[in-house]
Amino acid sequence: MRLNQLDERIVHALAEDARRSYADIGAEVGLSAPAVKRRVDRLREQGAITGFTVRVDPAALGWETEGFIEMYCRSNTSPEDIRRGLERYPEVASASTVTGDADAIVQVFASDMRHFERVLERIAGEPFVERTRSVLVLSPLVRRYGSGSPA
Amino acid sequence: MRLNQLDERIVHALAEDARRSYADIGAEVGLSAPAVKRRVDRLREQGAITGFTVRVDPAALGWETEGFIEMYCRSNTSPEDIRRGLERYPEVASASTVTGDADAIVQVFASDMRHFERVLERIAGEPFVERTRSVLVLSPLVRRYGSGSPA
DNA sequence: ATTGAAACTGACATATG
DNA sequence: CATATGTCAGTTTCAAT
């Protein structure tokens, strides 16, 4: 699917501040407020916009420990099974199925090492998980596009 | 203190849908709308919440290929060297030094496979990089706290 | 474009530790 | 005494006619 230039500018404006009013965005792109809303509604229906979220600084919230968990799942596990299993954990910031040895990579933020270990044990104990391999983040180097961490 | 607990629930609610009304969130966490707003304002002042953004389908914006690159660096490479080397790539969404075999994990968004390969080759050619291992994302399952895609 | 409804924001009073 | 919450009014924003 392709977005026209107007849509891209609207999306860009929302990416910078998703709580701007439609009138405000309209003034920037040269449309009336209702026209902007119609486009946003259409973008949501088409799936180009999947929702609105908040950018957080994990450290400021006390999530000082970050890590990646590679999941190796039982052979008949579907991506949807994994998603349902993981979405209950507030510590899970992102998760994707991937190519390679592991079946999925899960990004986890925890308050400290003990907390991280607890989450790791619970995830490893999910029925569809065969084994896990985890690495801890030492230093966040680059964090763009709101990929969640210190500014 | 369980004040922090309340903040976490509010952030979690906003992470799922940043356009929910304060009254709606308050009903969920057991506060009035103004009380929720005050906490959100305080979280923004403290830097815990850095902004509100839109979740977009990367494919709709032309970023159809996502992957992780594990970097194995020369022994005397500092994290700062890696950061300086990677920040020039707009395709790099995040990068962190990690424990384990690899020295760093880099998250990359590209327009297509050819683009991804080109970025991979350029990164692998950086003077401080000894070798790389990369995995491609098949399906994004969970994407919270703004850990998303380029906007 | 206009109108009715809903949400946000700031002020004030109160309860709690 | 300080902090946080709830209620209320004024204003803005939204959504549908």
Side-chain angles (χ1 to χ4, degrees), chain A residues 10-79:
Chain A
I10 291 172
V11 168
H12 189 255
L14 286 173
E16 282 180 349
D17 181 4
R19 299 209 114 184
R20 287 180 66 180
S21 73
Y22 293 137
D24 201 17
I25 296 171
E28 181 176 313
V29 304
L31 265 63
S32 72
V36 174
K37 179 197 169 352
R38 275 195 296 270
R39 281 180 178 266
V40 171
D41 286 344
R42 186 167 53 78
L43 289 169
R44 297 198 66 164
E45 281 175 14
Q46 291 174 346
I49 292 178
T50 60
F52 298 93
T53 189
V54 62
R55 262 197 303 262
V56 302
D57 175 356
L61 280 171
W63 305 91
E64 308 215 357
T65 304
E66 177 187 356
F68 291 94
I69 301 176
E70 292 178 282
M71 286 182 24
Y72 297 76
C73 301
R74 310 186 103 76
S75 54
N76 57 347
T77 305
S78 75

